[in-house]
Amino acid sequence: MKIRKQYPAIVTMWLFALSIQAQTPGDTLKATYVMPVHSIYLEIGGASNFVGVNWDSRFKTNSHWGYRAGLAIGYESDNTFGLTQSNTYYSAPVDVNLLIGRRKSRLELGLGLKPMLIRQKHLTVAPTATDITQDTYNISTSTTYLFRALLLADIGYRYVSKRGFQLRCGVTPMMNITKTWLTPSNEVDRGDLLLAPYVSFGWNF
């Protein structure tokens, strides 16, 4: 989903939430239990394109601040009038995140970067015979590689068990900060905003 000219509003909301967290008295930030330091999770959608594996860690024991780093892959294709285009996306999203809350249910806010390698494949099929009754075709293929990068901001819910199951869900606004590229469905220009919902399942330890 692509939305233009709305990224400043997303950033403003994110900064407003941070200001509320900063103004909260220190005793409200004390968790009622020791939050797990590490987690690993499988994310569908969001910054992971189609699917990705991510490592998440707190900066110190019971800290609300942490980071995540992942490896992800996505794919899309289209066939129109004998021209097939497919894009495979390889990315490594990284961000710093803040978990707001005292118990197992937390508001998650993240801000980071998503470097991405795009492999574009084009397949063109065209008849070569002047007689349309003859099934002869000319097939040509080409492959190109593009490097692109997007800013990302995670806004969602995280369930943090003391040890064991983890659940995340929300939406990831992403803004293209590099050159334009073509997808099978549309064109993504510099400054365009993409909104990607996500859900993830993982394990805390």
Side-chain angles (χ1 to χ4, degrees), residues 111-202:
L111 190 63
L113 180 69
K114 175 182 171 177
M116 182 168 58
L117 178 67
I118 308 173
R119 183 179 67 182
Q120 295 187 326
K121 298 184 70 174
H122 301 271
L123 172 65
T124 305
V125 180
T128 57
T130 56
D131 185 354
I132 61 174
T133 63
Q134 300 183 28
D135 294 330
T136 57
Y137 298 91
N138 180 42
I139 301 177
S140 61
T141 61
S142 63
T143 302
T144 57
Y145 291 88
L146 307 173
F147 177 80
R148 296 293 184 264
L150 300 96
L151 293 177
L152 65 89
D154 289 326
I155 305 171
Y157 165 82
R158 182 187 293 202
Y159 174 81
V160 186
S161 62
K162 187 173 182 179
R163 288 291 184 275
F165 180 70
Q166 180 199 87
L167 170 69
R168 298 169 61 256
C169 59
V171 64
T172 300
M174 294 178 286
M175 185 177 71
N176 177 31
I177 58 174
T178 47
K179 297 179 180 179
T180 296
W181 84 84
L182 291 175
T183 76
S185 56
N186 54 41
E187 181 179 69
V188 180
D189 299 317
R190 178 179 295 174
D192 279 355
L193 180 67
L194 312 175
L195 289 179
Y198 67 85
V199 61
S200 78
F201 307 93

Side-chain angles (χ1 to χ4, degrees), residues 39-167:
S39 69
I40 186 169
Y41 58 84
L42 181 74
E43 182 178 59
I44 302 171
S48 294
N49 299 314
F50 176 67
V51 64
V53 176
N54 294 265
W55 169 266
D56 185 278
S57 180
R58 302 297 91 199
F59 288 121
K60 61 181 180 179
T61 301
N62 220 29
S63 173
H64 290 252
W65 290 93
Y67 67 90
R68 77 96 167 254
L71 293 174
I73 189 170
Y75 177 82
E76 59 178 339
S77 65
D78 180 64
N79 188 312
T80 306
F81 304 114
L83 174 65
T84 298
Q85 176 185 338
S86 66
N87 284 3
T88 305
Y89 303 94
Y90 305 95
S91 61
V94 293
D95 70 35
V96 173
N97 56 65
L98 171 66
L99 302 181
I100 300 175
R102 298 180 59 189
R103 298 183 182 274
K104 296 179 180 180
S105 294
R106 307 288 178 114
L107 170 64
E108 177 179 350
L109 300 175
L111 190 63
L113 180 69
K114 175 182 171 177
M116 182 168 58
L117 178 67
I118 308 173
R119 183 179 67 182
Q120 295 187 326
K121 298 184 70 174
H122 301 271
L123 172 65
T124 305
V125 180
T128 57
T130 56
D131 185 354
I132 61 174
T133 63
Q134 300 183 28
D135 294 330
T136 57
Y137 298 91
N138 180 42
I139 301 177
S140 61
T141 61
S142 63
T143 302
T144 57
Y145 291 88
L146 307 173
F147 177 80
R148 296 293 184 264
L150 300 96
L151 293 177
L152 65 89
D154 289 326
I155 305 171
Y157 165 82
R158 182 187 293 202
Y159 174 81
V160 186
S161 62
K162 187 173 182 179
R163 288 291 184 275
F165 180 70
Q166 180 199 87
L167 170 69

